[in-house]
Amino acid sequence: MRQHSACLSLFLVVTLSLVHAQTPSASPALPYSPSLDLSSMDKSVDPCVDLYTYSCGGWQKKNPIPPDQTFWSVYGKLYQDNLIFLRGMLEQATQPDQPGKAQRNAVTQKIGDFYTACMDEGAVEKRGLSAIQPELDAIAHITSAKELTPVVAQLQLTYARYSYSSSMLFAAGSAQDPDDSEHVIADVDQGGLGMPDRDYYTKEDAKSKETREHYIQHVQKVFELIGDSLAAAKQNAETVMRLETAMAKASLTRVERRDPHKLVHKMKVADLSQLAPNFDWVAYYHEMQYPEFAILNVDAPGFIKELDKLLSSESIDSWKTYLRFHVADISSPYVSSKFVEENFEFYRKYLRGAKEMQPRWKRCVQYVDYDLGEALGQVYVAKVFSPELKQSTLDMVQRIEDAMGQRIRALDWMSPETKQQALVKLAGIRNKIGYPDKWRDYGSVKIVRDDFAGNVERAHQFESRRDINKIGKPVDHGEWDISAPTVDAYFNPQM
């Protein structure tokens, strides 16, 4: 588990106080005096030995990590407060329309019905494994490598937005053109692992070996939950581990992926088919309904080549076993309680250190935010963030940037040429404050009040389609990477 502090958040407070001090006539008096919170420090620590604990140790002592969290920070505390607010908003949205009362609009109805379905534990429990039975049946009916392609395509369409086991065999979708960041192209990358990174499969230290043993036990348990005998579950877990280990060894390391030049390998679909002929790429793109494109980028051709070898050297039954596990494992948080508990025990408790499962209402609020984020955002913004507040915040940020520009121009240690580049960089920042200028339209997403797993699947299919349909178009600089209710900030250098 990780514990962060308030210290890094002080930068904005200090910056605002400096801007206020420089432009007293343009700014109203602040209702408080920005300052460092000295009680957040731990002065018993030598700053030359451990600057972080010296700066933030007091805050850590006063703010232990809650048992249902895996890390803690000022952002985390704000986020938890926001979840409570969102919960109240969603509970209001769950009320069905009644004669003589204000009717829910389409956006409120979607988020309210999604939350209702999620909170209905009885219905989720009753439906059980049948929620994913169509996918399991499709896998069971595969009889050849040729039939593997369309099934993988459909599974990727539904399950491509999850963490850890977020892709079947490989990752694919759209990405900014590495040679022209203003355009979007098709992209294929390594993936297909059930644990967070290839190092979990390859490192030989004691902890890594222990983690692999826990993962095998987790995989076995998932097979038991979907009806396999103990003996079959053990054998199937070994199969999954063997395939994923081979895929992990062929994957680029995180260090290698930091070099952008190692991730640029443009080619045509015909070239990809030559690189990996045991997978029908033409049929795959047809099944996924990709728009027409001439060139795609393959981030990790070495991985794709090795995966192709595995597709021919491993039996079709082994790959069916691999797909069965990933469908069940990825779906676990959205089906019956035994699956939910097993998913928590491995991914959140063992891997990340949480002591307790979050209450269901917290999980359901977060699922709405993740799957219908800009629908939730519209209702949230209408309650808390007026257009006038957004404009005043943009004005504040503009004044901060103006002050930064003045300081750059006044520096005596920077050459005129370097100053000009710094000013160009400053002017290149696109500020995204509060919420998008244009909301995402979820009109095509079918949300049903008693079908939680189905709602999740349809929302993920919508996002997969939306991602794929970007291919061949200019980059949308108005798109947001986080939802309006999210307590966070981000910087995307490519954008």
Side-chain angles (χ1 to χ4, degrees), residues 11 21 81-82 100 114 125 166 172 225 229 239 277 283 317 354 369 386 479 489:
F11 171 76
D81 291 341
N82 214 33
F114 191 106
E125 202 70 29
S166 60
L225 289 174
S229 67
T239 297
D317 285 339
D369 191 20
S386 66
E479 183 178 358

Side-chain angles (χ1 to χ4, degrees), residues 12-85:
L12 178 59
V13 175
V14 174
T15 302
L16 290 178
S17 67
L18 292 172
V19 173
H20 174 64
Q22 288 186 354
T23 57
S25 61
S27 307
L30 294 174
Y32 58 88
S33 298
S35 63
L36 294 172
D37 180 4
L38 298 181
S39 68
S40 293
M41 302 172 70
D42 184 353
K43 295 183 180 180
S44 68
V45 176
D46 184 350
C48 296
V49 176
D50 187 349
L51 179 61
Y52 183 81
T53 303
Y54 171 81
S55 304
C56 307
W59 190 91
Q60 290 179 304
K61 290 175 183 177
K62 292 185 292 184
N63 294 275
I65 302 173
D68 68 343
Q69 298 298 307
T70 59
F71 66 95
W72 201 231
S73 66
V74 170
Y75 275 138
K77 294 177 73 173
L78 287 171
Y79 182 63
Q80 294 303 308
D81 291 341
N82 214 33
L83 285 180
I84 296 170
F85 180 83

Side-chain angles (χ1 to χ4, degrees), residues 110 371-372 441-447 455 458-460 462:
K110 276 202 183 333
D371 290 326
L372 299 173
D441 181 4
Y442 295 97
S444 63
V445 183
K446 182 182 178 182
I447 301 298
N455 292 338
R458 289 185 288 273
H460 289 192
F462 168 82

